[in-house]
């Protein structure tokens, strides 16, 4: 058996998800998959945090619009943990462009346009660590046991 790597990743349910009353329906997907909620908050983002979060896109033509969108209303920040959580969540979210996202993914099910594509997720171990530190103070990430994990996470050999 390939030993899974336990990872943590950052998810944002963007302002369009909050305004369209989709927070619960999106959260339940991650929960039902078995991912563990280790951080959760509603945030009215300021411009500085938005620009830091999307700093990698600073030179892209859509950067200004992206920042305006992400500060246009509250969003929900989640920290999720589980085996291979980073790639699992990226796959559940679907392709950046919703019209290219596989059916059954969040973006395919709930979005049509790239600028308003409902969710963000970290794209690798480095960005996950940096984004979790950007969005959550250490004390806001909670370590706790879940009894259900014996049915979800394989025991280490
Ligand atoms: P990702 O969110 O799937 O990781 P990125 O390429 O990192 O995709 O882009 C970050 C976000 O910027 C996207 O989720 C989307 O909201 C927005 N974005 C990406 N490309 C475009 C574009 O061509 N026009 C407008 N917005 C875009
Ligand atoms: Mg990205």
């Amino acid at each position: 058996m390939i030993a899974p790597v336990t990872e943590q990743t950052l998810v944002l349910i963007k302002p369009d998800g909050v305004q369209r009353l989709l927070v619960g329906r999106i959260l339940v997907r991650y929960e039902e998959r078995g991912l563990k909620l280790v951080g959760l908050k509603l945030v009215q983002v300021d411009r500085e945090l938005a620009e830091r979060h999307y700093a990698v896109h600073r030179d892209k033509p859509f950067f200004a619009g992206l920042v305006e969108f992400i500060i246009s209303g509250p969003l929900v920040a989640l920290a999720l943990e589980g085996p291979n959580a980073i790639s699992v969540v990226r796959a559940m979210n679907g392709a950046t462009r919703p019209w290219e996202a596989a059916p059954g993914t969040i973006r395919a099910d709930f979005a049509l346009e790239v600028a308003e594509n409902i969710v963000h997720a970290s794209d690798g171990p480095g960005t996950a660590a940096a984004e979790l530190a950007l969005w959550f103070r250490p004390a806001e990430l909670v370590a706790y046991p879940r009894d259900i994990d014996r049915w979800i996470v394989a025991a280490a050999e």
Side-chain angles (χ1 to χ4, degrees):
M1 187 186 92
I2 300 170
V5 181
T6 300
E7 294 174 332
Q8 291 187 346
T9 189
L10 176 84
V11 169
L12 303 177
I13 304 176
K14 300 182 187 183
D16 51 339
V18 175
Q19 294 298 324
R20 290 177 52 199
L21 317 182
L22 294 173
V23 173
R25 292 175 67 183
I26 293 169
L27 189 53
V28 81
R29 293 186 177 218
Y30 301 128
E31 274 196 301
E32 287 181 341
R33 185 73 189 266
L35 293 160
K36 181 177 178 178
L37 196 55
V38 294
L40 169 65
K41 59 182 171 181
L42 183 76
V43 190
Q44 176 60 62
V45 183
D46 61 28
R47 189 176 298 277
E48 189 202 339
L49 175 57
E51 290 183 352
R52 286 176 69 188
H53 174 74
Y54 280 124
V56 69
H57 298 301
R58 190 172 294 278
D59 297 329
K60 306 261 175 63
F62 57 82
F63 179 73
L66 180 58
V67 169
E68 291 302 326
F69 167 62
I70 220 75
I71 66 174
S72 66
L75 57 72
V76 173
L78 313 173
L80 297 174
E81 181 183 291
N84 308 306
I86 296 168
S87 53
V88 164
V89 171
R90 293 281 295 186
M92 290 177 73
N93 287 1
T96 303
R97 300 167 167 179
W99 60 91
E100 295 174 351
T105 62
I106 291 168
R107 284 164 168 171
D109 287 355
F110 297 127
L112 288 168
E113 294 192 321
V114 66
E116 305 207 348
N117 61 3
I118 302 280
V119 280
H120 164 85
S122 308
D123 62 8
T127 49
E131 290 177 358
L132 287 165
L134 189 61
W135 288 87
F136 289 95
R137 286 180 277 117
E140 292 177 323
L141 297 177
V142 183
Y144 61 99
R146 287 192 319 185
D147 292 345
I148 197 176
D149 274 334
R150 69 194 180 98
W151 302 105
I152 296 172
V153 182
E157 288 175 15

